[in-house]
Amino acid sequence: MSSELPVTDRTKLRRKPQRGSHDRAAVDAILDEALICHVGFVTERGPFVIPTMHARIGDQLYLHGAVGNHMLRALAGGIEVSVAVTLLDALVLARTAFHHSMNYRSVVMFGRATEVTEPETKLAALDALVERVGAGRSRACRPPNAKELHATSVLALPIVEASAKVRSGPPLADEGEDAQLPYWAGVIPLVTTRGAPVNAPDCLVDGRHMFDRAQ
Ligand SMILES: Cc1cc2nc3c(=O)[nH]c(=O)nc-3n(C[C@H](O)[C@H](O)[C@H](O)COP(=O)(O)OP(=O)(O)OC[C@H]3O[C@@H](n4cnc5c(N)ncnc54)[C@H](O)[C@@H]3O)c2cc1C
């Protein structure tokens, strides 16, 4: 069942609010399809925006990395963080420069992350992160051992303050004389697909058949 996230001063959509929503199902769908996010935070060294992978389980967005990771250590200290997630769907070309745009589905989140120390939750989050790379993959590789778990930090960011925004369709209609201009107008779809698997040079099994392109 879908629910609405509360609109805060930070998540109030200002420009083109009709393209936005605070619907949890819309937010979740974008988080679950996107393979990377960008994490914004400020430390005494200034502002940072760091790209990284993420995984969602229920109401939590999980990030992970080496225990020495600057971003994770800063976030674990309880500072405010903003996460942006973008799926790019198309380039939008209009007759006028002004109406050029992009079709996208995006999420902006705010909050404070906490370090996951409970072993079961940490393992579940790490499994979910591996599943992003390939469905079923967490059961088709050796799970992390104690040393690897010790060397890995996992953070959970609750999905409580977030918005989604979507642009789709053709360019905004050029009007008047502009509509008569002899320039092409339309949409060029962009698609990210999984290509054919390539065995690692030292791979002992040919498992290429195990991967279908639909993953
Ligand atoms: C691929 C891509 C390209 C874009 N290119 C441009 C561009 O060239 N110029 C431009 O002005 N805008 C662009 N946008 C839209 C941009 O992300 C903002 O939505 C826009 O700048 C509105 O800013 P604002 O001042 O109204 O809102 P802000 O005050 O910046 O935002 C208010 C709140 O609205 C929500 N919000 C704003 N934008 C988004 C979003 N994209 N997704 C989810 N929630 C959002 C957030 O909660 C945010 O805190 C692009 C978006 C994407 C995904």
Side-chain angles (χ1 to χ4, degrees), residues 4-202:
E4 286 287 310
L5 289 161
V7 181
T8 66
D9 186 48
R10 292 194 292 200
T11 60
K12 188 167 186 289
L13 290 136
R14 295 167 208 278
R15 273 191 48 73
K16 313 248 184 211
Q18 71 282 6
R19 292 181 181 168
S21 91
H22 300 86
D23 178 56
R24 252 308 289 274
V27 167
D28 287 357
I30 294 166
L31 294 179
D32 292 350
E33 184 173 335
L35 291 173
I36 63 159
C37 64
H38 288 82
V39 181
F41 56 99
V42 178
T43 73
E44 68 285 351
R45 285 160 57 199
F48 292 82
V49 177
I50 302 292
T52 192
M53 63 187 288
H54 65 273
R56 182 186 70 87
I57 304 177
D59 294 337
Q60 306 289 330
L61 191 79
Y62 291 101
L63 310 173
H64 84 311
V67 285
N69 180 306
H70 165 239
M71 172 185 78
L72 297 175
R73 280 197 317 190
L75 265 49
I79 59 170
E80 292 256 30
V81 57
S82 180
V83 175
V85 175
T86 311
L87 293 163
L88 196 51
D89 293 326
L91 305 171
V92 179
L93 283 69
R95 293 172 194 85
T96 58
F98 188 75
H99 280 157
H100 281 67
S101 189
M102 292 181 185
N103 283 344
Y104 59 82
R105 289 163 289 149
S106 57
V107 162
V108 172
M109 278 177 67
F110 299 93
R112 292 177 197 270
T114 50
E115 185 162 9
V116 177
T117 51
E118 201 276 311
E120 228 172 84
T121 311
K122 186 171 178 178
L123 266 175
L126 291 170
D127 277 358
L129 284 152
V130 173
E131 290 288 312
R132 305 305 315 281
V133 176
R137 198 63 192 162
S138 64
R139 294 179 305 284
C141 64
R142 176 180 65 69
N145 60 29
K147 188 174 164 210
E148 290 161 348
L149 281 174
H150 190 66
T152 306
S153 175
V154 174
L155 262 63
L157 179 65
I159 305 167
V160 289
E161 193 180 358
S163 58
K165 199 166 176 180
V166 176
R167 190 205 188 279
S168 59
L172 293 180
D174 290 311
E175 288 167 351
E177 286 176 11
D178 288 342
Q180 307 306 318
L181 289 170
Y183 301 112
W184 188 81
V187 161
I188 300 173
L190 297 175
V191 187
T192 301
T193 56
R194 290 180 191 245
V198 179
N199 286 340
D202 57 354

